[in-house]
Amino acid sequence: MSQTKQERSPQSNVRNATIRDVAERAGVSVATVSRVLNSTSQVRGETAQRVLEATEALDYVPHVGARSLSTRRTSTVGVLLPDLHGEFFSEVIRGIDSAARRTGYHLLVSGSHSDWTEMSAVLGATRGRVDGIIVMAPDRDAEAVRIHLPRGVPAVLLNCHADSIPSISVDNKGGSRAMVRHLVSLGHKRIAFIRGPEANADAWERLQGYRTEMRRTGDRDEDLELAGDFTEEGGFAAAGVALALDPRPTAIFAANDAMAVGALGALREQGIDVPGAMAVAGFDDIPIARFMAPPLTTVGVEISEFGRRAFNLLQDVLSGDERALRSETVSTRLVIRESCGGAVDPRLKVNQKRKPVTKRRAE
């Protein structure tokens, strides 16, 4: 068998092997190599073995772009989120990735930084590189989402609804209302709410749930709605505003856990006892929530499951399942921990022998 050009070349250590190199070494045509590697047709065992041995000997890696031209599939899914920082987004990515790996897919992940121009540029760059995309839009403008989606690329939206585009969202309103009812049941009337970004769909729905329940109790006060931005710093600043109100609220409900963590930090700095003098609650149940001091009461969302379901829905779209053109809602649940003076989350009991949890009496 003749030597390949790669083997004869003194520069072979800097040149990647090509499919032609593999074909020459195996003594077959380029088409036969392609059929073996892509499993598009039956190739005799001996011939297929020679191709595989040549591939291994030359350390040949198939060119994904070239292969996608023939198969029209890249085995890659694009994921575009408003940000990549924070436990919520990392959990979403983890859920998507775990589902993707089971089906042989890889992820191309990017953040839009909540900027429509950047989002449009990223989405445009995915054309031809991915089989489909999962998009969490930076705000609740559904038509803007539709305009920016690349044509011909199957998509699933997260927490945003647009006609004829499959979507999956969290029951934000229901979760927010349930938390307000819980705080009211503990005797709280002046419940401050730290909002998220004004245009964000999640933040808007959680605010609406808070308002609905506060109107029902007859204790709604616009001064109790505090500006926030879904960051720890935003929650820290908002808690300072809450402490300056007269009369002061007895509970703070943040639209996400990151802001609740920031609020806990501000209260601790001011020497405010939680939950004795101020109850604090969040939304999402990010992994760190149960390890805060005190452990954070929150609205639980199975965040990684949210990501898994998003990928599975996209898979249905890619397979041509007509039922994929639907909207799904992920339910929420109350996770009662010590930051509101309620019962301890049972999942924490496993740690109590090593580090007892000190319970504080709610006033």
Side-chain angles (χ1 to χ4, degrees):
M1 187 180 298
S2 63
Q3 289 183 312
T4 65
K5 294 179 181 179
Q6 181 193 40
E7 292 174 315
R8 290 196 301 265
S9 170
Q11 302 297 322
S12 62
N13 61 327
V14 297
R15 185 175 75 84
N16 293 328
T18 69
I19 193 171
R20 292 184 181 279
D21 296 332
V22 174
E24 185 175 348
R25 186 182 183 102
V28 298
S29 68
V30 169
T32 297
V33 175
S34 179
R35 285 194 294 270
V36 171
L37 297 182
N38 293 315
S39 300
T40 56
S41 63
Q42 291 291 330
V43 177
R44 284 187 308 158
E46 181 183 345
T47 301
Q49 185 62 32
R50 289 208 312 275
V51 169
L52 294 176
E53 289 175 353
T55 299
E56 183 176 356
L58 297 175
D59 197 22
Y60 172 68
V61 178
H63 190 285
V64 174
R67 183 170 58 188
S68 68
L69 291 175
S70 60
T71 64
R72 298 189 177 182
R73 284 294 176 95
T74 66
S75 295
T76 303
V77 165
V79 180
L80 179 59
L81 303 175
D83 202 343
L84 302 182
H85 172 73
E87 288 191 275
F88 178 86
F89 295 115
S90 66
E91 283 293 293
V92 171
I93 293 171
R94 186 170 72 88
I96 296 173
D97 185 58
S98 66
R101 285 176 179 273
R102 286 197 296 269
T103 56
Y105 269 85
H106 302 285
L107 302 186
L108 185 62
V109 182
S110 184
S112 68
H113 304 290
S114 297
D115 180 86
W116 279 113
T117 301
E118 192 160 346
M119 175 181 174
S120 180
V122 172
L123 287 174
T126 64
R127 187 185 297 275
R129 299 183 179 184
V130 299
D131 296 336
I133 51 178
I134 298 172
V135 181
M136 182 179 286
D139 61 49
R140 63 180 189 269
D141 186 349
E143 279 309 307
V145 177
R146 183 193 300 280
I147 291 171
H148 286 86
L149 289 176
R151 292 184 179 180
V153 180
V156 166
L157 302 181
L158 300 182
N159 286 349
C160 185
H161 302 282
D163 291 343
S164 74
I165 300 177
S167 64
I168 183 166
S169 58
V170 172
D171 182 15
N172 290 304
K173 290 182 181 178
S176 188
R177 293 187 65 180
M179 181 57 75
V180 173
R181 288 195 299 269
H182 173 66
L183 292 171
V184 169
S185 74
L186 296 176
H188 297 286
K189 292 184 177 180
R190 287 186 59 76
I191 303 170
F193 184 77
I194 306 179
R195 304 188 305 264
E198 186 174 348
N200 182 275
D202 285 330
W204 175 253
E205 291 180 351
R206 293 173 189 184
L207 175 61
Q208 296 312 301
Y210 164 82
R211 286 176 172 175
T212 297
E213 208 58 34
M214 292 300 287
R215 279 195 294 264
R216 191 184 67 81
T217 64
D219 292 313
R220 188 192 168 205
D221 182 345
E222 290 186 3
D223 289 341
L224 293 173
E225 295 180 7
L226 312 175
D229 58 4
F230 276 171
T231 69
E232 291 88 349
E233 293 81 5
F236 187 97
V241 175
L243 291 175
L245 293 174
D246 186 16
R248 178 185 289 181
T250 60
I252 295 176
F253 175 23
N256 78 340
D257 285 346
M259 294 191 297
V261 169
L264 284 172
L267 296 172
R268 182 169 54 251
E269 187 175 281
Q270 293 297 317
I272 305 299
D273 181 59
V274 178
M278 183 77 73
V280 177
F283 202 118
D284 289 330
D285 194 23
I286 60 177
I288 200 174
R290 71 185 68 177
F291 302 114
M292 296 304 299
L296 182 65
T297 290
T298 185
V299 179
V301 179
E302 294 291 346
I303 307 173
S304 61
E305 176 64 19
F306 180 54
R308 283 192 291 270
R309 287 179 59 175
F311 179 82
N312 291 338
L313 182 56
L314 182 60
Q315 279 288 87
D316 290 345
V317 176
L318 294 173
S319 67
D321 188 343
E322 294 182 357
R323 295 172 298 176
L325 298 177
R326 64 184 185 271
S327 295
E328 295 183 5
T329 300
V330 176
S331 62
T332 59
R333 71 194 189 288
L334 283 181
V335 181
I336 310 302
R337 300 192 179 106
E338 290 192 8
S339 67
C340 289
V344 179
D345 182 342
R347 289 176 293 180
L348 289 174
K349 291 182 179 179
V350 297
N351 296 324
Q352 288 181 348
K353 289 184 179 179
R354 289 179 294 172
K355 187 175 181 181
V357 176
T358 302
K359 293 190 176 181
R360 297 176 175 82
R361 182 176 57 84
E363 293 184 340

